[in-house]
Amino acid sequence: MARRYDHSREEIRSMALDAAEAIVAAEGYKGLSARKVAAAIEYTVGTLYLVFENLNDLVLQVNGRTLDALFERMAAVSGPADSPRKRLLALADAYIAYAKAETPRWNTLFEFVAENGNSLPDWYLVKLSKVFGLAETALEPLSDRRQALEVQQAARVLWASVHGICMLKIRQRMDLAGGQSTEAMAGMLIDNFLRGFAAASHGDQQTE
Amino acid sequence: MARRYDHSREEIRSMALDAAEAIVAAEGYKGLSARKVAAAIEYTVGTLYLVFENLNDLVLQVNGRTLDALFERMAAVSGPADSPRKRLLALADAYIAYAKAETPRWNTLFEFVAENGNSLPDWYLVKLSKVFGLAETALEPLSDRRQALEVQQAARVLWASVHGICMLKIRQRMDLAGGQSTEAMAGMLIDNFLRGFAAASHGDQQTE
DNA sequence: GCATTTAATTGAACGCCGTTCAACGGCTGT
DNA sequence: ACAGCCGTTGAACGGCGTTCAATTAAATGC
C-alpha cells in the first residue's frame, strides 16, 4: 500500500493538527503521541515525519493555532470606545475564560515551551506579540501623559501578571488565592496597578 | 547479588533525591529517568520503586526540596524592619535570583504540576503556602487601615503576578518585555500596585 | 499496451521510557 | 547446618520518538 495520494501534504498537515488538537483536548499534552495522531488520521507514523520535522514541531503548530484562537477571542471583546481599564478587564476576562474552557490546550502552551532550549521560531513569537499587543493597545490612550515606552512596558508587566494569576489558579487549583475567583484577582491587579500608574507622574520614586 | 543492606531505606531515599536533583540541574526535567537515577546511586530501577511510589512521587519530593530552598533564600532577605514595599521588592529579587540561578530546578516546579490531575498532597501545599506567606507577612503592616482578608488577597495577587513575570522572562527568553530586566518589571508591578492599593480606601470603585 | 521510472507510504527496527514482579542469594535465628 | 526471610535484582511488557529500506501505485516513455 503506497502512493495513495488521497490527500495533499497540506491536507495531511491540517488533518494531523486537527487530530492532535482533539487528543490534547481529551487527554492533555502528555496523552499526545505520534502513533495516536497517525492512527487518528489513518496514516502511519512515517507519514507524519514527512509533514512535520518532529513531534515538537507538531505541538508548536498546535500551540500556534491556540494562540490564534486566543487572539480572536480577546480581540472580539476589546472595543476601542472603552477606557483602558475596561478594555484590560475585558481582555483579562476573555483570557481567563479561554483558559478555563480549553484548559488542556491552554496548558499545552506552557507545558511545551521549555523543551527545545528556549528558542522559538519567529512566526510563533509574532503570534505571541499579537496577544500581548492587545494589552498594549488598550493602554495606548495613556501615552498622552506618559512616555510611550513606559506605557508599553506597563502593558507587558500587566499582561504577564494576569497570566501568572491565571496559571496559579488553573494549574494547581489552589486555595492559595484566599477565596477569590480568578477574575476577581485579575481585577484587583488591574485596578490597583492602573490607579498606581495614573497617580505616579513620570520619574517619581517611592522611597519607602 | 541481593541483600546488600549498604543503606537504609531513608538513605537510599535521600541519595536518590540528591541524584535526581543533579540530573535535573544538568539536563532538565525531561532528562530525568528512573534508570538514570538508579544508575547514579548504583542501584537498579526496582529498588527505586520500593522507596518511591513512582517517578511522579520522586519528582514531587525534588520539588518539595526546591520549595524549601526557595523559602530559605527568600526568608533570608525579608527583614521585619523594612517597609512592605522594600520587603516585597527584596522578596521578588530573591525569587528571581533563584529562578535564574537554578533555572532547571525552578522550571521543574511547573513542568511537573499539571500531570497528576491537579491534586497535590497536603505537605506540598504547606510548603507552597510558606512561600506565599512571606509576601503576606510583608504586607501585614497595611492591615491597620485595611481588612486583613483584603491584604492577604493583595499579597497573593502580587505574588502570582511576580511569578508570571518571572515565568515570561525565563521560560521564553522573550523580547516581549520591552527591554526591561525581570527585576525592573517586578519592581514596576510592585510599585504601581502598592501605590494604587494605598490610594484606594476600602470599598472604592473605579467607574471608568 | 507494456515497461520503466518516480515518489508516496509503509512498518519494522532501534534504543529509550515507566512500571512490575518472580526469582535470587546473602543474612539471621535456631 | 539449615531454613526462612527479605532486600535486591533484572528481565519482561507495552509504549514512546524517530529513521529508513522496502513496497507499490501512479505517471511517464515507448
Side-chain angles (χ1 to χ4, degrees):
Chain A
M1 217 186 316
R3 185 78 169 204
R4 301 175 7 182
Y5 210 72
D6 290 346
H7 307 281
S8 73
R9 230 142 245 260
E10 217 42 60
E11 282 170 335
I12 292 178
R13 189 182 184 79
S14 86
M15 286 162 61
L17 290 179
D18 288 345
E21 276 184 337
I23 293 169
V24 165
E27 310 175 45
Y29 175 54
K30 258 190 51 184
L32 189 73
S33 80
R35 284 168 172 85
K36 275 188 200 168
V37 173
I41 64 174
E42 294 180 294
Y43 277 80
T44 55
V45 251
T47 303
L48 278 184
Y49 283 81
L50 297 171
V51 171
F52 300 98
E53 205 185 311
N54 50 39
L55 209 67
N56 261 10
D57 183 27
L58 192 157
V59 177
L60 198 67
Q61 313 288 334
V62 169
N63 281 347
R65 285 185 170 199
T66 302
L67 287 177
D68 288 342
L70 206 44
F71 177 81
E72 294 304 327
R73 304 268 191 116
M74 288 171 58
V77 301
S78 183
D82 298 324
S83 68
R85 175 175 167 272
K86 271 196 177 165
R87 286 182 74 169
L88 277 176
L89 289 174
L91 287 173
D93 279 353
Y95 183 73
I96 292 165
Y98 185 84
K100 281 182 177 173
E102 307 281 357
T103 302
R105 236 193 281 281
W106 181 81
N107 265 326
T108 302
L109 239 29
F110 309 101
E111 285 173 39
F112 166 74
V113 166
E115 300 201 351
N116 61 350
N118 274 348
S119 78
L120 296 163
D122 282 345
W123 62 263
Y124 190 86
L125 292 177
V126 167
K127 285 183 195 295
L128 262 175
S129 304
K130 280 184 71 182
V131 173
F132 268 75
L134 288 171
E136 289 170 30
T137 305
L139 273 194
E140 238 163 37
L142 302 183
S143 292
D144 301 347
R145 283 160 284 173
R146 307 294 282 265
Q147 286 192 351
L149 176 64
E150 203 189 357
V151 172
Q152 191 197 52
Q153 289 175 338
R156 289 169 177 190
V157 164
L158 259 178
W159 204 251
S161 300
V162 167
H163 167 65
I165 290 169
C166 200
M167 189 95 176
L168 176 77
K169 291 285 284 193
I170 288 194
R171 288 281 274 266
Q172 11 226 56
R173 198 186 282 286
M174 271 197 261
D175 303 309
L176 298 183
Q180 290 181 105
S181 71
T182 317
E183 291 83 354
M185 290 179 77
M188 188 182 210
L189 167 76
I190 292 170
D191 281 346
N192 284 306
F193 185 96
L194 285 185
R195 204 184 289 119
F197 195 69
S201 54
H202 182 62
D204 264 14
Q205 289 242 326
Q206 279 167 311
T207 53
E208 207 217 358
Chain B
M1 216 189 315
R3 182 79 168 202
R4 300 169 15 178
Y5 209 73
D6 291 346
H7 308 281
S8 72
R9 231 144 243 262
E10 217 43 59
E11 282 170 334
I12 291 178
R13 188 182 184 78
S14 86
M15 286 162 60
L17 289 179
D18 288 344
E21 277 184 337
I23 293 169
V24 165
E27 309 175 46
Y29 175 53
K30 257 192 52 185
L32 189 73
S33 80
R35 283 168 172 85
K36 275 188 199 168
V37 173
I41 64 173
E42 294 181 295
Y43 276 82
T44 55
V45 251
T47 302
L48 278 184
Y49 283 81
L50 297 170
V51 171
F52 300 98
E53 205 185 311
N54 50 41
L55 209 68
N56 261 10
D57 183 27
L58 192 157
V59 176
L60 198 67
Q61 312 289 333
V62 169
N63 281 347
R65 285 185 170 198
T66 303
L67 288 178
D68 288 343
L70 206 45
F71 177 81
E72 293 304 328
R73 304 267 191 115
M74 288 171 59
V77 301
S78 182
D82 298 326
S83 68
R85 175 176 167 272
K86 271 195 175 165
R87 286 181 74 170
L88 277 176
L89 289 173
L91 287 173
D93 279 353
Y95 183 74
I96 292 165
Y98 185 84
K100 281 183 177 171
E102 306 281 358
T103 302
R105 238 193 279 281
W106 180 82
N107 264 325
T108 302
L109 239 28
F110 309 101
E111 286 174 39
F112 166 73
V113 167
E115 301 201 351
N116 60 351
N118 274 349
S119 77
L120 295 164
D122 282 345
W123 63 262
Y124 190 88
L125 292 176
V126 167
K127 286 184 195 296
L128 263 175
S129 303
K130 280 183 72 180
V131 173
F132 268 75
L134 288 170
E136 287 171 30
T137 305
L139 273 194
E140 237 164 40
L142 301 184
S143 291
D144 302 347
R145 284 161 284 172
R146 306 295 281 266
Q147 285 192 349
L149 176 65
E150 203 190 355
V151 171
Q152 192 197 51
Q153 289 174 338
R156 289 169 177 189
V157 165
L158 258 177
W159 204 252
S161 300
V162 167
H163 168 64
I165 289 169
C166 201
M167 189 96 176
L168 176 78
K169 291 285 284 193
I170 289 193
R171 287 280 275 267
Q172 10 228 57
R173 200 187 281 285
M174 271 196 260
D175 303 309
L176 298 184
Q180 290 181 106
S181 71
T182 317
E183 290 83 354
M185 290 180 77
M188 187 182 212
L189 168 74
I190 292 170
D191 282 346
N192 284 305
F193 185 95
L194 286 186
R195 204 184 288 118
F197 194 69
S201 53
H202 181 61
D204 263 14
Q205 288 241 329
Q206 280 169 308
T207 52
E208 207 216 1

